[in-house]
Amino acid sequence: MKNAMKVGFVGLGSMGRGMVANLQKAGYQLVVNDLSQAAAVDAIAAGAMWAETPREVAEDADLVFTSLPMPADVQAVSAGTDGLIAGLSEGKVWVDTSTNDLDVIRELHGILVQKKVYLLDAPIGGSPHNTVRGDIIFWVGGEERAFQLAKPALDAISENALFVGECGSGTITKLVQNMFSLALLSVQIECLSMGVKAGVDMLPLWKALRQGRLGQMRTFDLISAGFLPNKLDPAKFFLKLAEKDARLALQIGRSNRVPMKLCSAVHQDMLEALNRGWEMRDAQSFLELQMERSGLPPSFLTQEEVDAVKEST
């Protein structure tokens, strides 16, 4: 069944191809463009129209998606007489699914506001395989009205499209996610290397940690046990005892000549918190120092807000 809205798509790489295929399965008419027409062979065979330039895509479509590897690529397809901006007219929506530069997104948003064109930054969480299966996640920033206009098409690609705030919010959320993932990997290997160097084989160590409380917990749930809902007093586990455990772990690292830069930085924060007299506060209380250094209030959530998020995911 054909969908009345015509969708434009620029960038049919490993992520873009899967999104286009899902849009076509849902009955959307597609007009597509890429640096190479060869990238669009499958889409064209399934009924998509080829456009010679991004501008032609924007002129012909009601809703335009871009999926591009670098911020410079987004700038390149948007600018100039053959660019998207030249072809976008009042009321149209551009959804950029690239992992973009926040400054680029905000600059483009400022330009498009003048044309009364909506820009949604909607970077993706997931791999090309997730894209094909339709279980990627979109973190979407922009005007909520534009999100509602684009949502049927987003849902055709994946039902996991989350509106997170004004334009730029999607990009910030994706970069928080990716930086967290990279930092978490690094600190995990730092700690595992300490355990292996101290004499425990990797397989039983990793298996044991996965079976522990933290290993069975969703990644973002640990801070919801104390820090987020401001349940730091009375303590579930005293900071002075947590600092002792960190100090003993670092001692093992030093004894085995294991560099532990990340864990040492965490311990320094714990010591600072102890020097503020927080010995009998909860072990997570030292996290307040980062909020303070950032010039932010503690930004606590209510228990009801925390519970609602847990129940919805």
Side-chain angles (χ1 to χ4, degrees):
M1 182 174 129
K2 289 285 185 185
N3 193 298
M5 177 181 281
K6 183 176 280 190
V7 174
F9 211 104
V10 178
L12 282 80
S14 58
M15 300 297 283
R17 282 194 296 272
M19 288 189 276
V20 164
N22 287 334
L23 285 164
Q24 290 181 304
K25 287 175 188 174
Y28 282 94
Q29 302 173 66
L30 268 289
V31 54
V32 299
N33 172 265
D34 191 273
L35 284 175
S36 168
Q37 191 169 348
V41 167
D42 291 342
I44 293 169
M49 298 297 294
W50 172 256
E52 293 295 334
T53 65
R55 177 176 181 162
E56 289 179 25
V57 172
E59 288 174 339
D60 200 22
D62 306 300
L63 170 69
V64 176
F65 283 86
T66 47
S67 176
L68 300 161
M70 301 294 287
D73 299 315
V74 178
Q75 290 175 305
V77 304
S78 68
T81 56
D82 288 329
L84 283 174
I85 292 173
L88 288 167
S89 54
E90 182 175 342
K92 291 190 176 185
V93 180
W94 171 12
V95 182
D96 180 36
T97 70
S98 319
T99 300
N100 211 331
D101 183 298
L102 183 59
D103 290 339
V104 170
I105 280 292
R106 287 178 170 166
E107 181 181 357
L108 290 171
H109 179 258
I111 293 168
L112 293 171
V113 163
Q114 303 303 313
K115 298 189 66 169
K116 298 183 180 178
V117 172
Y118 297 109
L119 174 62
L120 297 173
D121 62 310
I124 295 167
S127 68
H129 296 295
N130 298 116
T131 308
V132 172
R133 291 198 303 262
D135 58 2
I136 56 175
I137 184 168
F138 293 102
W139 292 292
V140 188
E143 284 83 0
E144 191 160 8
R145 169 178 163 74
F147 174 65
Q148 295 304 327
L149 290 171
K151 194 168 188 307
L154 289 166
D155 286 344
I157 300 169
S158 170
E159 293 184 358
N160 302 313
L162 303 179
F163 182 74
V164 293
E166 64 184 21
C167 193
S169 299
T171 297
I172 293 168
T173 302
K174 171 66 184 289
L175 294 177
V176 167
Q177 156 84 15
N178 282 12
M179 188 68 254
F180 180 85
S181 176
L182 294 167
L184 184 62
L185 286 169
S186 186
V187 77
Q188 283 179 314
I189 294 304
E190 189 172 288
C191 293
L192 285 168
S193 66
M194 177 196 77
V196 171
K197 196 77 180 286
V200 184
D201 288 340
M202 181 66 84
L203 180 58
L205 177 60
W206 181 62
K207 182 179 178 181
L209 293 173
R210 286 192 74 247
Q211 292 176 342
R213 176 172 172 264
L214 182 59
Q216 297 183 44
M217 185 181 291
R218 292 186 66 160
T219 305
F220 280 91
D221 280 355
L222 185 58
I223 56 172
S224 71
F227 180 75
L228 288 181
N230 192 20
K231 292 192 171 179
L232 301 173
D233 305 289
K236 294 184 182 70
F237 182 57
F238 294 131
L239 177 62
K240 69 175 184 178
L241 298 179
E243 183 277 329
K244 176 262 298 180
D245 291 351
R247 178 163 30 89
L248 293 174
L250 289 170
Q251 184 175 311
I252 291 175
R254 284 193 298 272
S255 298
N256 290 278
R257 297 182 180 177
V258 177
M260 299 188 71
K261 294 186 289 187
L262 299 173
C263 294
S264 295
V266 170
H267 185 239
Q268 289 299 309
D269 273 359
M270 297 175 85
L271 289 177
E272 182 178 340
L274 290 180
N275 286 332
R276 294 190 180 198
W278 295 0
E279 293 93 340
M280 305 303 289
R281 296 192 72 197
D282 191 83
Q284 293 188 11
S285 61
F286 76 94
L287 300 175
E288 291 184 7
L289 297 175
Q290 174 61 23
M291 304 299 284
E292 181 182 304
R293 285 192 294 262
S294 302
L296 295 170
S299 191
F300 296 120
L301 303 177
T302 66
Q303 188 63 57
E304 290 75 17
E305 288 172 325
V306 170
D307 292 342
V309 170
K310 287 184 175 181
E311 288 170 9
S312 67
T313 55

